[in-house]
Amino acid sequence: MNIIVLLKQVPSTETMIQIAGDGRSVKTDDVSWIISPYDEFAVEEALRIKEKQKGGIVTIVSVGGAKAAEAIRTALAMGADKGILVNDPATAGCDGLGIARILSTVVQSLPFDLIIAGQRAVDDENFLVGAAVAEFLKIPFMSLVIQEEIADGKITCHRTIEGGTAVVSSPLPALFTTQRGLNEPRYTSLPGVMKAKKKPLDIKTLTDLGLDPAIAATPLMQVISLKFPEKRKAGKIIDGATLADKAAMLAKVLHEEAKVI
Amino acid sequence: MPQDILAIAEYGNGVFRKVSYEVLSEGRRLADTLGVKLLAVVLGNDIQQIAPKLAEYGVDRIIAAEHPLLKDYLSETYTQVAAEIIRKEAPALILTGATTQGKDLAACLSARLYAPLASECIAVRIENGKTVATRPMYGGKILADVRLDAAPGILTLRPNAFATRKTAGAGQIEVYPVSLEPPRTSCAHMQMDTSGKVELTEADVVVSGGRGMGGKDFSVIEALASVLGGAVGASRSAVDEGWRPVSDQVGQTGKVVSPNLYIACGISGAVQHFAGMQTSNVIVAVNKDPDAPIFSKADYGVVGDLFEIVPRLTEEIRRLRGDSQ
């Protein structure tokens, strides 16, 4: 089984994000980078499917700068077989649709039975790329998956929906996106890291993919400015002689002062 | 020339989601700003009974697409029918709620129509004829203004971020003739949680428990949420411990909530948790550690054992409610 994982390198979720001088991008100098957590679930699930099916190739595909190779190497160290990084300065201006176009072009050049992607990247949080790649490839799409089974050329996915779960099936090839709870990603081992260094990682430009850099980098949506949300300040600490007094005082201020209960 | 605003409404258990009314209200406001019409679209089965409800929010036209295959949401069928209606109506802007279904459908439509998408918007304005939306990025640590440079633009609106406003509108339902091939995907069944549970992202009150809960017993939290008509949430540590389902997780890698009142119990307040609840109107923290970071962000803090304080708070609220009734 050929499995493709779409992966994005993002600032770690602990990072204090700073706005750059242009007012519309973030500073990347002091950022520590990670595989977007939902994409990490995707890598793990691909490896588990490969192990269960007793064979197959897991290919990691990413669009990003030279640094993104580190994220791919981490996925290779977890056990993925090979990686493809589209590293082209023109992609810096891409919106999600542009990135999905590039990813689907890469995927089209590979054999695949299944594509797994994160439900969203935890930087731009737009929930778009997985769905768009499935759409461009005209394959079935299932989002927010917490459990899957593959049998007889079909995949059955348990999707989280508001207030419950929906069980959806489709023939392969298909694309699904991950939800927390799907698995617990493995740590990389030292032998894994050593092996990863020898695994193939192809770096491609848009021209290599037969895409016109000008077209690929014409976004339909642009960030025009960034700001910080209003900072919340520490409020009142409710005091009282006993815990019962504190609870009563809290109820009172919520009722009379904040007027929220 | 595309001009109108098309809002896609979503329903469950025979009623429209609250966020759908927020979407229609914001759609009405934008339509008035632009001097255009507001169309409401609803997809499903057996919807002609509830569709007229949409008229209460100032809708000019209601398009109902009914088909047995639209009974349960599937990306494939909903995208096909919604895309057909959008192509026919050629709106300038498409709005829907940032629910799991809304975000899924919006993303599929964005690719199908090659139309720009901004998801989880918390404010929308028109600037020089173009749509500019404000949306959180990096788990809410940053707010971005994004401009949509092509029509139709697609926006999903975050629940609880927009006010609802009732305005009289046309009640006429136009039935859209749906024709669907059997889809490749199929929905085998749905497992829904016990009915009557308030959806976390749409709740007016959220009471969350964290590591300080110490175990699976969330009954004190549930009782407080229940008396307030709210929903129960959890921090990542509580979910990682297996005390609560993933669907309860509030935070950067969980759900983002924006209730009128957020009560954090036994949650220290990691930056990732804060990302998921910082836009709440009022934040209350109960924690026995006086140095917990949550207190630096909470409007009201109580230092003490949550198992002592929360039940007493529940009792006090019950008493207040009893007095005022």
Side-chain angles (χ1 to χ4, degrees), chain A residues 232 236 238 250 253-254 258 260-261, chain B residues 206-208 224 260-267 277 280-287 294-295 297-302 309 313:
Chain A
R232 290 195 89 104
K236 273 186 197 169
I238 306 290
L250 177 60
V253 294
L254 290 178
V260 288
I261 60 170
Chain B
V206 174
V207 187
S208 288
L224 178 56
N260 193 30
L261 173 62
Y262 187 87
I263 305 178
C265 306
I267 293 176
M277 44 61 107
S280 305
N281 182 24
V282 171
I283 297 175
V284 173
V286 180
N287 203 300
I294 189 91
F295 288 122
K297 308 279 173 64
D299 300 290
Y300 300 101
V302 181
I309 290 164
L313 178 62

Side-chain angles (χ1 to χ4, degrees), chain A residues 5-249:
Chain A
V5 175
L6 307 179
L7 180 147
K8 186 177 188 184
Q9 189 186 42
V10 298
S12 117
T13 53
E14 281 99 25
T15 305
M16 296 302 287
I17 300 292
Q18 297 297 325
I19 298 170
D22 65 359
R24 47 189 293 251
S25 60
V26 302
K27 284 187 193 166
T28 51
D29 326 342
D30 298 322
V31 165
S32 66
W33 298 88
I34 56 166
I35 298 174
S36 184
Y38 293 106
D39 300 350
E40 207 179 2
F41 297 137
V43 175
E44 177 62 33
E45 199 64 13
L47 298 175
R48 289 186 188 195
I49 293 169
K50 178 183 164 176
E51 286 157 9
K52 210 168 164 185
Q53 306 268 330
K54 300 195 174 27
I57 295 170
V58 175
T59 306
I60 309 293
V61 181
S62 186
V63 177
K67 218 173 173 33
E70 293 167 11
I72 298 180
R73 286 279 176 218
T74 303
L76 297 177
M78 286 169 75
D81 299 289
K82 54 182 186 167
I84 298 172
L85 172 64
V86 180
N87 177 7
D88 192 312
T91 64
C94 273
D95 58 12
L97 283 176
I99 297 291
R101 269 265 188 260
I102 296 166
L103 289 170
S104 52
T105 305
V106 174
V107 171
Q108 263 163 341
S109 70
L110 304 165
F112 67 91
D113 303 294
L114 178 65
I115 305 173
I116 314 177
Q119 56 162 277
R120 67 181 199 261
V122 300
D123 52 359
D124 58 20
E125 314 246 10
N126 211 26
F127 296 84
L128 172 60
V129 170
V133 168
E135 181 65 30
F136 294 152
L137 295 171
K138 297 188 166 35
I139 59 173
F141 168 68
M142 287 156 285
S143 63
L144 304 170
V145 172
I146 50 163
Q147 191 188 324
E148 52 74 25
E149 298 102 42
I150 294 170
D152 308 322
K154 269 180 80 174
I155 183 163
T156 301
C157 294
H158 296 238
R159 304 183 53 231
T160 55
I161 56 173
E162 269 94 3
T165 316
V167 182
V168 178
S169 298
S170 104
L172 294 173
L175 186 152
F176 76 83
T177 69
T178 60
Q179 171 67 304
R180 263 181 71 76
L182 177 65
N183 57 46
E184 198 55 55
R186 66 195 68 188
Y187 292 102
T188 53
S189 65
L190 189 58
V193 172
M194 300 309 287
K195 266 192 219 160
K197 290 181 179 168
K198 297 200 188 84
K199 289 178 179 173
L201 199 176
D202 291 345
I203 313 284
K204 292 186 188 290
T205 63
L206 295 180
T207 317
D208 293 339
L209 299 171
L211 289 167
D212 179 352
I215 291 168
T218 311
L220 302 181
M221 186 177 82
Q222 286 195 60
V223 173
I224 54 174
S225 69
L226 296 179
K227 64 182 177 204
F228 292 108
E230 243 174 81
K231 277 232 169 10
R232 290 195 89 104
K233 294 190 194 82
K236 273 186 197 169
I237 294 290
I238 306 290
D239 228 342
T242 64
L243 292 175
D245 289 350
K246 288 184 184 181
M249 182 52 82

Side-chain angles (χ1 to χ4, degrees), chain B residues 5 34 50 89 103 139 143 149 206 223 233 264 273 287 306 315:
Chain B
I5 293 177
L34 294 164
I50 57 164
E89 300 294 338
K103 286 184 286 194
L143 294 177
D149 288 332
V206 174
H273 183 76
N287 203 300
L306 74 94
E315 214 32 67

Side-chain angles (χ1 to χ4, degrees), chain B residues 7-156:
Chain B
I8 302 173
E10 183 186 336
Y11 69 98
N13 297 324
V15 289
F16 285 105
R17 289 198 176 283
K18 187 175 140 211
V19 67
S20 292
Y21 298 131
E22 295 163 6
V23 165
L24 292 177
S25 303
E26 181 63 7
R28 184 69 262 167
R29 190 188 70 80
L30 291 167
D32 288 342
T33 307
L34 294 164
V36 301
K37 287 197 165 81
L38 173 66
L39 280 64
V41 174
V42 56
L43 286 73
N45 197 24
D46 271 339
I47 47 178
Q48 292 199 39
Q49 291 290 320
I50 57 164
K53 183 92 179 126
L54 299 173
E56 294 171 16
Y57 292 84
V59 174
D60 294 301
R61 292 168 58 203
I62 299 170
I63 299 172
E66 270 196 311
H67 195 284
L69 282 173
L70 296 175
K71 183 177 152 283
D72 297 320
Y73 177 80
L74 280 175
S75 313
E76 195 178 349
T77 50
Y78 271 58
T79 304
Q80 188 190 320
V81 176
E84 279 173 22
I85 295 172
I86 291 162
R87 286 202 177 103
K88 181 163 170 272
E89 300 294 338
L93 195 58
I94 298 155
L95 307 176
T96 195
T99 58
T100 55
Q101 176 177 318
K103 286 184 286 194
D104 189 287
L105 178 60
C108 294
L109 287 172
S110 169
R112 178 78 51 99
L113 303 163
Y114 217 73
L117 165 71
S119 224
E120 297 269 7
C121 302
I122 56 167
V124 185
R125 62 180 195 269
I126 307 294
E127 219 172 73
N128 304 321
K130 286 190 168 157
T131 305
V132 176
T134 305
R135 53 181 305 275
M137 292 186 6
Y138 299 92
K141 291 174 200 159
I142 293 276
L143 294 177
D145 276 359
V146 297
R147 193 184 64 218
L148 281 65
D149 288 332
I154 305 176
L155 307 179
T156 72

